[in-house]
């Protein structure tokens, strides 16, 4: 899954695609096409920055960022378009414009989101987050991070099924960096099999994240090799979808890792 942030402030690619608040459609489409040529089989479009400390964005602003982008991508590319949002109104507009996957870092807990996603009938990714982006990295606390995250996700899966979302349309994600210390993030990745063993597909997003920066003491633009190492680990543990900025490098790592996994 290739990442396309249509935001002024995302930690890695923020501001790349907005000029005077409006999305630069041709640059966005070009970038998506490049990611697809490098091996992306899904493009995740987001209009709300959820990096630590980020302020929330209003619905109309989020719509102005993502709807024209999704309309243009829908005409230009053949791979599924994912909408990264927590707002029911944005989910509906995005799916109407051509998105066919909902990626929600708040696991459909916002007002109306669960019912909306169920009605739209598209697959959803439920991510775990402790707290809200503005404050989530302030002393995150768990009894047992792996079991706490797993219980939360399984509870949301039950809620989704009760709301009419079939199990076959649900992906789960531990939410690396979303209200987790470095040690907690590493525990979650080391024990990713706890999530994989649920039988649900697991999505992993570690690309360029601060957990890598903290280990290497490197800024965002120097985290590719660390990102590849963690993508490889996620792949070995059975992750189904890897959400990344650097598609070509990750695609090679995944291909080689899969060949290794299939060896006798
Ligand atoms: C994740 C994500 C982000 C993630 C899923 C970033 C939107 C921060 N991270 N969605 N979104 N999983 N499912 O690093 O880990 O791009 S935003």
């Amino acid at each position: 899954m290739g990442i396309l942030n249509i935001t002024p402030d995302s930690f890695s690619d923020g501001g790349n695609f907005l000029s005077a608040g409006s999305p630069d459609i041709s640059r966005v489409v070009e970038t998506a096409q490049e990611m697809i040529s490098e091996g992306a089989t899904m493009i995740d479009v987001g209009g709300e920055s959820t990096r630590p400390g980020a302020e929330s964005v209003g619905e109309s602003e989020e719509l102005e960022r993502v709807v024209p982008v999704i309309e243009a991508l829908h005409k230009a590319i053949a791979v599924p378009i994912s909408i990264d949002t927590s707002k029911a109104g944005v989910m509906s507009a995005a799916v109407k414009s051509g998105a066919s996957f909902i990626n929600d870092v708040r696991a459909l807990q916002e007002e109306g989101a669960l019912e909306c996603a169920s009605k739209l009938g598209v697959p959803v990714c439920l991510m775990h987050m402790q707290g809200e982006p503005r404050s989530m990295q302030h002393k995150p606390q768990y009894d047992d991070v792996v079991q706490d995250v797993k219980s939360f996700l399984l509870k949301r899966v039950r809620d989704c099924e009760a709301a009419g979302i079939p199990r076959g349309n649900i992906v789960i994600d531990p939410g690396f960096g979303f209200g987790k210390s470095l040690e907690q993030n590493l525990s979650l990745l080391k024990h990713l099999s706890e999530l994989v063993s649920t039988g649900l597909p697991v999505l992993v997003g570690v690309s360029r994240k601060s957990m890598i920066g903290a280990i290497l003491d490197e800024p965002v633009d120097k985290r590719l090799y660390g990102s590849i190492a963690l993508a490889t680990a996620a792949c070995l543990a059975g992750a189904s979808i890897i959400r990344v900025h650097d598609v070509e490098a990750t695609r090679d790592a995944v291909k080689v890792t899969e060949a290794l996994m299939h060896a006798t």
Side-chain angles (χ1 to χ4, degrees):
M1 172 188 265
I3 303 170
L4 267 185
N5 282 316
I6 319 300
T7 56
D9 58 345
S10 287
F11 79 98
S12 173
D13 59 347
N16 285 356
F17 302 114
L18 281 177
S19 50
S22 293
D24 181 340
I25 303 288
S26 55
R27 276 196 62 194
V28 173
V29 169
E30 209 173 283
T31 304
Q33 283 169 332
E34 193 175 313
M35 287 181 179
I36 293 161
S37 73
E38 293 176 351
T41 52
M42 184 164 8
I43 300 291
D44 190 39
V45 176
E48 180 205 17
S49 174
T50 45
R51 71 176 163 75
E55 293 295 335
S56 58
V57 50
E59 177 161 326
S60 57
E61 197 170 343
E62 203 178 322
L63 285 168
E64 281 166 31
R65 291 178 186 172
V66 299
V67 168
V69 165
I70 292 169
E71 284 173 348
L73 287 177
H74 186 56
K75 286 186 202 135
I77 67 176
V79 306
I81 300 164
S82 158
I83 175 66
D84 156 19
T85 192
S86 298
K87 298 185 182 75
V90 177
M91 292 172 189
S92 297
V95 170
K96 202 182 286 175
S97 307
S100 56
F101 187 93
I102 294 169
N103 175 28
D104 185 3
V105 299
R106 295 180 183 81
L108 303 178
Q109 294 178 104
E110 293 286 288
E111 184 76 41
L114 185 60
E115 300 69 25
C116 178
S118 171
K119 202 156 59 188
L120 292 169
V122 299
V124 298
C125 177
L126 307 172
M127 199 197 78
H128 174 275
M129 166 162 60
Q130 183 175 95
E132 270 293 309
R134 196 172 38 75
S135 57
M136 67 190 175
Q137 290 307 104
H138 181 71
K139 290 194 185 7
Q141 303 256 323
Y142 299 89
D143 291 329
D144 173 331
V145 70
V146 176
Q147 290 311 317
D148 290 3
V149 167
K150 181 178 179 179
S151 320
F152 167 84
L153 291 171
L154 289 179
K155 166 79 169 70
R156 291 309 295 157
V157 170
R158 288 196 297 277
D159 293 344
C160 283
E161 288 188 284
I165 301 176
R167 199 176 175 84
N169 265 359
I170 302 174
V171 175
I172 56 173
D173 180 343
F176 291 99
F178 286 84
K180 283 120 191 156
S181 66
L182 172 60
E183 281 307 316
Q184 289 159 351
N185 283 315
L186 292 173
S187 288
L188 282 166
L189 188 52
K190 181 164 180 174
H191 301 286
L192 197 72
S193 59
E194 280 291 314
L195 296 183
V196 173
S197 68
T198 62
L200 293 157
V202 174
L203 190 156
V204 165
V206 285
S207 184
R208 301 183 187 172
K209 280 188 178 171
S210 68
M211 60 187 290
I212 297 162
I215 296 168
L216 301 177
D217 191 23
E218 292 285 7
V220 162
D221 63 339
K222 291 275 168 52
R223 296 180 187 168
L224 175 60
Y225 306 135
S227 299
I228 295 302
L230 295 190
T232 301
C235 193
L236 282 170
S240 296
I241 304 173
I242 316 277
R243 182 178 179 277
V244 299
H245 302 88
D246 304 287
V247 175
E248 185 177 37
T250 312
R251 189 268 324 267
D252 282 1
V254 167
K255 258 191 166 170
V256 171
T257 307
E258 283 182 337
L260 177 63
M261 290 166 83
H262 292 131
T264 51

